[in-house]
Amino acid sequence: MRNEKISWGSFFKIVLTIALPIAFQNFLSTTASMVDTIMIGSQGELSVAAVGICSQITSLFFSCYFGFASGGLLFFSQYWGAHNEKGINQAFGLALTCMLAVSLLFGGAAVANPEFILGIYTDKENIIAIGAPYIRIVGFAYPLQVIALIISFLLRSTERVKPPLISSILALITNFVLNWILIYGRFGMPRMGAAGAAVGTLVSGIVNVIVLLIFLLRDKQTVVLRLKDMFSWRDGFLKGYMGKCFPIIFNELFYGIGQMLINIVIGHQSESAIAAMAAFRVLEGFVFAFFAGLADASSVVVGKEVGSGRLMNGYQYMKKFAVLCPAITFCICMIGLLLNRPLLSLFGLGTEAMFFGKYMILIYLAAGTVRTCNYIMNSCYRAGGEAVFGTLLEIICLFTVSVPATWAAGMIWHLPFLAVFSFLYTDELIRLVFELWYTRSGKWIKPVTETGRAALPEFQAALRMKKGCLTGREL
């Protein structure tokens, strides 16, 4: 096993060449989905609140399919490190099949009965009336969303970071232009409001998938997709894939359910609070999109090192990402706090909603930084082959701390909105303590490739020797 001391200089080189393009692409992808909420701000608080509630439905959909995508990313990166093209094909085909099944289920429900779905989240009839046409149209874009994501993950894992970036830029431009035309009725088009924003989302999704497919199918040098390999899951591959993916799927699904319960509490607050929350979710989404992109990049880097047998390198990369990403998040949140008034004014919020938004950003300055650290570490656990520890810790903390505390504050005690909001992230500090310990232990490195497994005994022996020299500063 050949391992080297990873210096901060070499680490930042990886960040600049791989991590930042992925983070920026992820940021653009999320921005495209949030342009709707921003541009609908001129239509008033009710429209912002309606699109915000619809975004929560999309978030639940994301949670239900993202486990399959994360499992695919694990296999893509480790198989890429081991130069196993057939394994990459198998993982891609299986992940795509599972994700499309979920998208058809959610898309069908959104198209067939949007009023019922929105009624789960809020009791405000005027919000439901605005949101129903929007979510019905967006439901057609759900299959496109999963196709674009799994292709992006495949390209990123095989170190082709430019194509997803280009496709995201084109999709964002398409979404912005169509929103400007259809929301406000430019160039003789009807003034469609929220429904116009949904059309922009649908068409931009089509553009995104077409561009990604062109890049994927034209590149015959890196990884060639073959149908016979994509849907050939013999030799225990299906069992191995599901064994690794099931904890991740379980994690994402129950996290989505937990967030749905929290969103139901928010949906029963005042209309100003719902609108403020919709605006905050957009701003939070920008932060989350950037550090989630860094988390994807860390998964690619760590997974490749683990899959190729350089386990100590993967271990060192993980710890450096766990320091860098929270620091970046803190800086971004501080800038958001300083610029809270011009940022929140983009959404057409009233005085009370603006007041809520300012203090929500202040609370998130601390909570978001801790959350980032937890998210990065859990992503690297998965890339290293371990999905159970992070899953159990997140779900247990969510359902024993955050969800009951938020529900009690909002639905039983009827506390002021900002007090209710402050309970949303109460589980993060508890998770941080356990995840810092588990990261240092190195027990999360569990390779799925033969090369990686062969290097495991030597890594474990080296780690036992290294622990005697570690100081608290290294975590």
Side-chain angles (χ1 to χ4, degrees), residues 344-365:
L344 292 170
S345 64
L346 294 172
F347 301 92
L349 303 180
T351 303
E352 185 180 30
M354 290 284 286
F355 173 81
F356 288 151
K358 175 182 177 180
Y359 285 96
M360 290 160 73
I361 295 173
L362 178 61
I363 293 169
Y364 193 72
L365 178 66

Side-chain angles (χ1 to χ4, degrees), residues 88-278:
I88 293 174
N89 269 266
Q90 290 176 310
F92 181 83
L94 188 51
L96 178 62
T97 300
C98 296
M99 291 166 67
L100 277 175
V102 176
S103 72
L104 292 175
L105 178 64
F106 270 81
V111 171
N113 200 343
E115 292 85 1
F116 172 77
I117 298 175
L118 288 166
I120 297 174
Y121 283 84
T122 183
D123 57 350
K124 308 292 189 298
E125 293 295 334
N126 46 1
I127 291 178
I128 294 174
I130 296 173
Y134 177 91
I135 197 65
R136 176 178 280 119
I137 297 171
V138 169
F140 288 103
Y142 284 169
L144 300 170
Q145 184 176 326
V146 301
I147 294 171
L149 183 72
I150 197 62
I151 294 176
S152 293
F153 273 19
L154 175 61
L155 292 170
R156 293 174 182 178
S157 301
T158 51
E159 300 180 61
R160 292 173 286 178
V161 296
K162 290 183 179 179
L165 182 59
I166 293 171
S167 69
S168 296
I169 292 172
L170 294 175
L172 178 60
I173 293 172
T174 302
N175 195 18
F176 180 84
V177 171
L178 288 178
N179 278 4
W180 184 75
I181 293 173
L182 297 176
I183 291 175
Y184 309 113
R186 313 287 185 181
F187 302 116
M189 298 297 291
R191 186 183 181 95
M192 298 176 65
V199 173
T201 297
L202 175 60
V203 176
S204 67
I206 295 172
V207 170
N208 195 20
V209 169
I210 290 174
V211 174
L212 285 170
L213 283 173
I214 290 172
F215 278 111
L216 181 66
L217 298 178
R218 286 183 62 183
D219 184 358
K220 304 296 184 182
Q221 304 299 318
T222 310
V223 173
V224 178
L225 292 180
R226 298 181 176 87
L227 288 176
K228 65 176 182 179
D229 290 336
M230 286 172 56
F231 301 101
S232 175
W233 305 324
R234 297 186 298 272
D235 304 322
F237 180 81
L238 179 61
K239 181 179 179 181
Y241 178 88
M242 287 302 180
K244 290 293 184 182
C245 285
F246 181 76
I248 304 175
I249 296 165
F250 179 85
N251 186 173
E252 297 297 337
L253 177 60
F254 276 85
Y255 180 81
I257 293 172
Q259 291 302 308
M260 182 182 75
L261 294 173
I262 288 173
N263 288 330
I264 289 173
V265 176
I266 300 300
H268 285 75
Q269 304 302 303
S270 68
E271 291 175 354
S272 292
I274 296 173
M277 191 66 181

Side-chain angles (χ1 to χ4, degrees), residues 64-102:
C64 290
Y65 75 73
F66 191 70
F68 297 107
S70 293
L73 183 61
L74 184 165
F75 281 88
F76 297 159
S77 57
Q78 290 205 25
Y79 281 141
W80 175 242
H83 307 291
N84 184 342
E85 186 171 300
K86 181 179 178 181
I88 293 174
N89 269 266
Q90 290 176 310
F92 181 83
L94 188 51
L96 178 62
T97 300
C98 296
M99 291 166 67
L100 277 175
V102 176

Side-chain angles (χ1 to χ4, degrees), residues 29-43:
S29 296
T30 306
T31 300
S33 66
M34 294 178 178
V35 162
D36 296 354
T37 308
I38 296 173
M39 296 188 71
I40 208 71
S42 63
Q43 308 296 302

